[in-house]
Amino acid sequence: DSGVTQTPKHLITATGQRVTLRCSPRSGDLSVYWYQQSLDQGLQFLIQYYNGEERAKGNILERFSAQQFPDLHSELNLSSLELGDSALYFCASSVGTGVHGYTFGSGTRLTVV
Amino acid sequence: AQKITQTQPGMFVQEKEAVTLDCTYDTSDQSYGLFWYKQPSSGEMIFLIYQGSYDEQNATEGRYSLNFQKARKSANLVISASQLGDSAMYFCAMREAFSSGSARQLTFGSGTQLTVLP
């Protein structure tokens, strides 16, 4: 167990639907990062939150949004789903100014049918 | 432009042999960090080794070592005495300079699929 918890582990949904992926960071970690891993795009950074505030944005679609709550857990919301959104979504966490130490969750595998 | 380049989509190595996985990077930052992760077929991302840009010595962690050549902007992973369980996808990643007190995100290369042959 890495200490970063992602739920659910697997999700199958239909095109056009909306889903929410959840991430609980490792205890004490203030930063949460979301990544999308697909066969054609590789590992792409989506968005980072630090202590409740959005800190950096990557290649995140407008249909996607995220937030980090006061207890530091984070949710990634994916709406109007398309077949191409099928991917493995990772959450990682780190201590704010840690030299290294990004801890990844086991991922949520999303399949859009 | 690609920030992290892994030119070997696939590699084969005989069990008990050493193997080098290549990684080159591009950054204008003076302070940065380089990481290697292992992703087995089960999907999880496993941290292997870290090298800071100011570290004078190459990082080592057990059978893993990082051949850091700053002037050439390369950070190759060396796995000694390969084991069957080393078969996995390996990713090189870079973290650029800190921003406003929080660590920056990792940028990943495209990965190298390593297969260890018995």
Side-chain angles (χ1 to χ4, degrees):
Chain A
D1 180 10
S2 69
V4 177
T5 304
Q6 286 190 250
T7 56
K9 291 196 183 307
H10 301 276
L11 199 48
I12 301 175
T13 189
T15 55
Q17 295 298 305
R18 172 189 169 95
V19 297
T20 297
L21 312 184
R22 183 187 167 102
C23 170
S24 294
R26 196 177 54 169
S27 178
D29 286 358
L30 301 177
S31 278
V32 168
Y33 311 79
W34 286 97
Y35 290 86
Q36 178 195 58
Q37 185 179 27
S38 59
L39 284 174
D40 55 343
Q41 296 287 331
L43 266 160
Q44 297 284 319
F45 167 69
L46 296 178
I47 196 163
Q48 175 197 1
Y49 278 84
Y50 174 69
N51 204 20
E53 294 186 357
E54 183 185 302
R55 185 55 63 94
K57 248 182 179 178
N59 300 321
I60 187 166
L61 299 172
E62 285 192 10
R63 300 183 286 109
F64 296 0
S65 64
Q67 54 185 326
Q68 186 178 29
F69 294 87
D71 67 352
L72 300 178
H73 92 270
S74 178
E75 293 180 356
L76 179 67
N77 301 296
L78 315 176
S79 61
S80 303
L81 284 167
E82 302 174 359
L83 296 177
D85 297 327
S86 295
L88 186 55
Y89 290 84
F90 283 108
C91 166
S93 71
S94 73
V95 175
T97 56
V99 175
H100 54 279
Y102 297 81
T103 304
F104 280 77
S106 56
T108 293
R109 187 167 295 281
L110 173 67
T111 303
V112 182
V113 297
Chain B
Q2 286 269 33
K3 290 197 170 185
I4 298 284
T5 303
Q6 295 181 253
T7 57
Q8 306 152 314
M11 289 278 287
F12 291 89
V13 65
Q14 210 69 37
E15 195 179 6
K16 299 179 186 176
E17 297 290 312
V19 62
T20 298
L21 306 184
D22 295 341
C23 173
T24 58
Y25 60 92
D26 183 31
T27 181
S28 56
D29 287 350
Q30 296 301 307
S31 175
Y32 52 89
L34 297 157
F35 300 74
W36 278 90
Y37 284 86
K38 172 184 178 181
Q39 186 178 38
S41 58
S42 52
E44 70 268 31
M45 296 290 285
I46 302 168
F47 167 74
L48 295 178
I49 196 166
Y50 165 83
Q51 179 85 41
S53 58
Y54 292 119
D55 295 341
E56 295 187 353
Q57 295 205 328
N58 287 341
T60 60
E61 290 283 353
R63 294 186 299 110
Y64 304 107
S65 60
L66 201 152
N67 184 358
F68 181 46
Q69 297 187 42
K70 197 169 181 176
R72 296 180 60 186
K73 293 190 174 178
S74 75
N76 299 338
L77 177 70
V78 180
I79 306 175
S80 63
S82 297
Q83 302 172 355
L84 295 178
D86 293 335
S87 293
M89 181 72 87
Y90 288 81
F91 290 97
C92 179
M94 177 173 64
R95 182 213 69 228
E96 293 178 286
F98 288 104
S99 171
S100 304
S102 71
R104 295 272 297 272
Q105 73 275 11
L106 292 174
T107 301
F108 287 87
S110 55
T112 296
Q113 180 68 46
L114 177 67
T115 303
V116 181
L117 303 171

